[in-house]
Each structure stands twice: as structure tokens, then as C-alpha cells.
Amino acid sequence: MSAPPSPNPPPPPSPSTNGESQSELKSQSPHPPISWPAGDPLSLEWVQDLMSKLDWASRNLAPSELPTVLPVQVFDRLVLVGSKILHKEPNCVRIDGGSKVVVVGDVHGQLHDVLFLLKDAGFPGDERLFVFNGDYVDRGAWGLETFLLLLAWKVFMPERVYLLRGNHESKYCTSVYGFEKEVMTKYGDSGKHVYRKCLGCFEGLPLASIIGGRVFTAHGGLFRCIPVTPSKRSKGKKNRRI
């Protein structure tokens, strides 16, 4: 009499570490979080590392996990240094036309389009400079990453990268078209702090540029109204607006 067949062997365990699921493994960054370089000056390697990690995070992490890649402390340092540079520039920057100039329109949080553009057109350098014509945030899913990446390039090469202000770099538009909600989702309890810092940085963005003394660029459409201080003749008409 033949022996009864042996029971089916159990299926091989799925590859994991310490019982972690595939989704948990996928969400783990292959690199440590971004850290601010000692001595402050940014390098090309640092900016390229930022590009790589933001690209990876946008494809593999939930939005609320962005702080594991870009900690608040690094965000604060980048915005502080970038704001100091931007606030020293005039409202209309004059750009030497001796180099190739790449003018970029609205990017609206499309991080992957910006990454492709920088790689396709070539990075900013001695023979190439960029003028980004505003509207970095809102509508797209990665407005914060897009703006911070461009700000990093500005900090690294302030005379080869120019960031102009669009109508979406304002409190009104960002509160209506999604950027404020995006920041709150990504940074949670620190969201209000991050959002306020971004608004302060937006205020330093120039409004226009003149390239080579001949080409004028501006996004326009800023502000719904401008408060005007009442003069003596308009006494009694408080909070007049134009």
C-alpha cells in the first residue's frame, strides 16, 4: 500500500525584512534625509542630490512623508538664505544678454517637467542662464518641491538663475488654488510655519526682468487690490482701495 501523498509545501515567504510589507519597504528612502551643508555654501552635488531625492520621494512616498526626506530644519535654512538673496534684488532685474537665456513660463507644481527641462536644456552655468517667469505653485501636486528646487538653484547660482513672481505667489491664490492645503498635508503640525515662510519668500521675488536691454518679461496679474493711505482730501473715506 503506497504512502499518502505529502501535503503541499507552504508558499515561499515574500521577500521582506523583519516582517515588513512590500509597501513599507517601498516607502523607505534608499538615502538618508537631506542635510544642510556645513559652512552654508551650496554645491552642484548638493543641488543634484536634492533633485534626485525629491524625484524619488514624489514617486514613492505619501505626501505626508516628505519631511522624512526634507526636514523642516533644512527647509528653514534654504528659505532663509534664498529670501536674503531675493530681497536684495530690485523689482525689475536687468540681465546681461551675453549668454544663452532660457525663459520658462508657468510650471504650476509639475516637478517632473521641471526636472526634465533642466536636464534637456542643460543646467545653469557660465554659458546658460534661466529666467523662471512665476507661477511655481498651485494646481500641480508638487508645488512645494518645485519652488524649493528652483530656490536651491537660485541660492547656488544667484546670477545665473532668476525667479520672477507670478500671481500665484500670493496669499490669495495659494489659499484658493491648492498650495496652502498641499503644504498642510505634507508638513502636518509644521504646515502653518512652512506656509508662512513660503509667503514671506514670495514677497522678495522680483516682478519683471529686462534681458539684454531689449526683452521685457513679466508674469503680471499680481494682487487683487492695493490699499492706499488716505490723504487729507479724502478724510473720512477709510480703507480706500484701487
Side-chain angles (χ1 to χ4, degrees):
M1 185 174 180
S2 60
S6 59
N8 293 330
S14 58
S16 63
T17 304
N18 297 326
E20 293 171 316
S21 67
Q22 290 295 314
S23 60
E24 289 173 335
L25 285 172
K26 185 178 180 182
S27 67
Q28 292 180 354
S29 173
H31 306 290
I34 298 165
S35 59
W36 191 258
D40 274 358
L42 298 187
S43 64
L44 177 60
E45 291 74 19
W46 191 92
V47 177
Q48 287 180 309
D49 185 50
L50 177 66
M51 293 172 64
S52 175
K53 288 181 178 178
L54 291 181
D55 185 25
W56 182 89
S58 69
R59 300 175 188 275
N60 295 279
L61 296 183
S64 60
E65 295 180 274
L66 179 61
T68 64
V69 175
L70 183 66
V72 175
Q73 295 83 354
V74 178
F75 163 84
D76 283 343
R77 194 65 188 167
L78 176 58
V79 170
L80 175 63
V81 177
S83 294
K84 288 182 177 180
I85 294 173
L86 293 171
H87 278 80
K88 290 180 180 178
E89 292 184 334
N91 273 336
C92 183
V93 292
R94 295 183 177 272
I95 301 170
D96 180 18
S99 305
K100 179 180 178 181
V101 180
V102 181
V103 180
V104 184
D106 306 18
V107 293
H108 278 304
Q110 299 299 328
L111 175 67
H112 307 111
D113 289 351
V114 173
L115 292 172
F116 173 80
L117 170 68
L118 289 169
K119 294 175 182 178
D120 185 63
F123 290 159
D126 292 338
E127 299 180 355
R128 183 184 302 104
L129 61 82
F130 282 79
V131 178
F132 290 89
N133 208 27
D135 279 15
Y136 313 108
V137 302
D138 288 331
R139 296 190 176 131
W142 303 283
L144 181 61
E145 293 92 329
T146 299
F147 177 67
L148 294 179
L149 174 59
L150 296 180
L151 187 63
W153 274 107
K154 177 65 179 178
V155 172
F156 174 50
M157 306 192 79
E159 296 182 356
R160 312 308 294 172
V161 176
Y162 293 90
L163 306 180
L164 305 185
R165 189 174 183 179
N167 64 304
H168 280 263
E169 280 69 61
S170 63
K171 189 177 189 305
Y172 171 75
C173 280
T174 53
S175 64
V176 172
Y177 292 99
F179 180 66
E180 181 180 13
K181 184 177 180 181
E182 174 193 340
V183 173
M184 297 299 295
T185 299
K186 290 176 178 177
Y187 276 90
D189 294 340
S190 300
K192 290 184 178 180
H193 166 80
V194 172
Y195 179 60
R196 286 196 303 267
K197 289 290 185 179
C198 286
L199 292 180
C201 191
F202 292 162
E203 292 176 358
L205 294 169
L207 304 181
S209 72
I210 297 178
I211 303 171
R214 304 179 68 179
V215 180
F216 175 81
T217 64
H219 187 283
L222 286 176
F223 315 121
R224 302 182 71 207
C225 56
I226 302 175
V228 177
T229 303
S231 64
K232 292 182 179 179
R233 292 184 178 181
S234 60
K235 187 176 181 180
K237 296 181 180 179
K238 297 181 179 180
N239 299 324
R240 288 190 65 184
R241 295 177 181 272
I242 60 173

